[in-house]
């Protein structure tokens, strides 16, 4: 008989209005039962915090179901098997799964996917460059926006997890010019010095439309939208004929209490023949092997760089998520779970 073990986890206490506060969540300790046959117990190493989790706090139908009140807020995570009653997963195996926002997870072995160690890279890479983040960049740029060599590409949220990957991929795939926007001067400097962007601007410094026009005097062919709002409107103004946008996210409105009106210039889509196409990554998982084959050697060789902003302690997960929404991250925002004492 295996001993009982505690799991420290985050539950949704009530559905937030506007920007969530500490009143909306609670950090609780749950006693886990002994493992049943074919189950494993996993100690998480890294937990993902993501913008889309804001939508799951609302009780609305979407591509992922809403969080349930008084239930753990699940999320992408990587961890290591610490106890096993499954012949498939041995103790010590690195696994990826969807039982984040807690330190210890357990369940049927089929809910955990074995991952290979990537030499000299932390296991967190499966939540950033080689995980859903990287796949989102790859699918959005190549399959949704159909970027081709010679295109001028604009990326918003460009110093974040997805955006910094998009900029590098555009450069590797032969874009003629890559432009990014971000919310601090430090991030803007990184875009050109580290992530291969040709030009960048701080969207808080003035009109996005004007700054984009200056950065892309010959217009843009592709827009990768992480932000929505004024960025999308500016991109529509800047599009060349036949322009294509991958509508990936709209973070500028996630905490809004009332929906803002959309871009005022949608009629320009007609005359320019522009396509705006949304997507959600769960519908494109079949492309993960192709993505992985292209990007993993580039990560291993250091040709494709990625940054992670790591907050320590499962007890700080909600604060890490709030920080992400305020732009306190460069690259992927993650929580590192302390090893057991
Ligand atoms: N479609 C999909 O399947 C899919 C999958 C993954 C992610 N996404 C979306 O992709 C986007 C990026 O996600 P991520 O995980 O890579 O997050 P991220 O970009 O690493 O982090 C979010 C960033 O958004 C920026 N931001 C916050 N408020 C903003 C505002 N009002 N205007 C402009 N920028 C703002 C902040 O950077 P600054 O300092 O630059 O403001 C912050 O760092 C999000 O919209 C997310 O929902 C979609």
């Amino acid at each position: 008989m295996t001993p009982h073990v505690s799991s420290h986890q985050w539950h949704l206490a009530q559905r937030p209005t506007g920007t969530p506060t500490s009143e909306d969540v609670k950090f609780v300790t749950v006693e886990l039962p002994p493992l049943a046959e074919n189950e494993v117990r996993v100690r998480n190493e890294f937990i993902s915090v993501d913008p889309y989790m804001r939508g799951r706090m609302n009780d609305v139908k979407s591509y992922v179901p809403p969080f349930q009140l008084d239930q753990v807020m699940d999320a992408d995570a990587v961890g290591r098997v610490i106890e096993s009653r499954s012949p498939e997963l041995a103790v010590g195996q690195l696994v990826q799964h969807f039982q984040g926002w807690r330190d210890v997870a357990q369940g049927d072995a089929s809910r955990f996917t074995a991952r290979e160690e990537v030499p000299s890279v932390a296991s967190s890479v499966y939540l950033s460059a080689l995980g859903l983040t990287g796949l989102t960049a790859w699918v959005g740029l190549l399959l949704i926006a159909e970027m081709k060599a010679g295109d001028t590409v604009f990326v918003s949220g460009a110093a974040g997890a997805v955006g910094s990957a998009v900029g590098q991929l555009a450069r590797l795939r032969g874009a003629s010019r890559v432009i990014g926007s971000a919310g601090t001067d430090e991030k803007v400097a990184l875009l050109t010095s580290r992530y291969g962007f040709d030009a960048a601007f701080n969207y808080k410094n003035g009109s996005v439309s004007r700054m984009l026009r200056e950065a892309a005097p010959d217009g843009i062919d592709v827009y990768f939208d992480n932000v929505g709002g004024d960025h999308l409107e500016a991109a529509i103004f800047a599009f060349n004929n036949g322009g294509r946008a991958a509508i990936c996210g709209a973070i500028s409105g996630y905490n809004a209490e009332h929906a803002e009106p959309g871009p005022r210039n949608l009629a320009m889509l007609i005359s320019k023949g522009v396509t705006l196409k949304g997507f959600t990554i769960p519908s494109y998982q079949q492309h993960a092997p192709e993505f992985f084959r292209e990007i993993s050697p580039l990560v291993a060789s250091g040709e494709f760089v990625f940054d992670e902003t790591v907050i320590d302690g499962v007890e700080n997960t909600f604060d890490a998520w709030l920080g992400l929404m305020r732009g306190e991250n460069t690259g992927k925002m993650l929580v590192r779970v302390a090893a057991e004492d």
Side-chain angles (χ1 to χ4, degrees), residues 250-261:
I251 196 168
S252 66
Y254 288 177
N255 283 325
E257 292 186 34
H258 305 288
E260 291 291 322

Side-chain angles (χ1 to χ4, degrees), residues 10 27 47 310-318 320 335-338:
W10 285 91
F27 188 52
I47 302 169
V310 178
I311 306 297
D312 278 304
V314 66
E315 67 281 9
N316 296 319
T317 304
F318 182 64
V335 173
R336 178 166 40 210
V337 180

Side-chain angles (χ1 to χ4, degrees), residues 48-53 63 132-133 136-137 156-164 181-184 187 202-204 224-228 230-231 247-254 278-282 284 323-333:
S48 185
V49 293
D50 299 277
Y52 78 92
M53 299 180 82
Y63 68 102
L132 291 179
T133 293
T136 302
S156 57
V162 172
S164 57
S181 70
T184 69
K187 289 183 183 184
N202 181 341
Y203 68 86
K204 292 178 181 164
F224 194 105
D225 192 11
N226 286 315
V227 165
D230 54 355
H231 277 80
I247 309 297
C248 175
I251 196 168
S252 66
Y254 288 177
F279 72 105
T280 55
I281 207 61
Y284 292 85
L324 166 82
M325 300 301 281
R326 286 192 296 260
E328 288 168 12
N329 61 307
T330 299
K332 181 78 185 103
M333 186 68 122

Side-chain angles (χ1 to χ4, degrees), residues 57-176:
M57 295 175 196
N58 300 333
D59 191 14
V60 292
K61 192 163 178 271
S62 184
Y63 68 102
V64 259
F67 293 126
Q68 297 303 305
L69 293 181
D70 298 316
Q71 297 292 318
V72 68
M73 298 162 75
D74 47 16
D76 209 3
V78 283
R80 220 163 274 279
V81 176
I82 52 171
E83 206 180 314
S84 177
R85 292 195 61 197
S86 158
E88 307 295 325
L89 295 174
V91 169
Q93 173 68 52
L94 179 67
V95 289
Q96 184 165 12
H97 59 96
F98 212 68
Q99 295 190 57
W101 285 49
R102 73 193 92 180
D103 53 1
V104 180
Q106 71 182 43
D108 194 87
S110 60
R111 297 174 63 190
F112 299 83
T113 305
R115 293 291 183 214
E116 285 178 23
E117 313 279 345
V118 182
S120 61
V121 178
S123 60
S124 54
V125 74
Y126 286 111
L127 304 178
S128 57
L130 296 183
L132 291 179
T133 293
L135 181 62
T136 302
W138 192 93
V139 166
L141 186 69
L142 304 179
L143 304 186
I144 306 299
E146 299 181 17
M147 190 217 115
K148 296 184 275 301
D151 281 344
T152 295
V153 178
F154 172 45
V155 187
S156 57
V162 172
S164 57
V166 173
Q168 292 182 77
L169 192 54
R171 163 78 34 252
L172 287 165
R173 288 295 191 111
S176 63

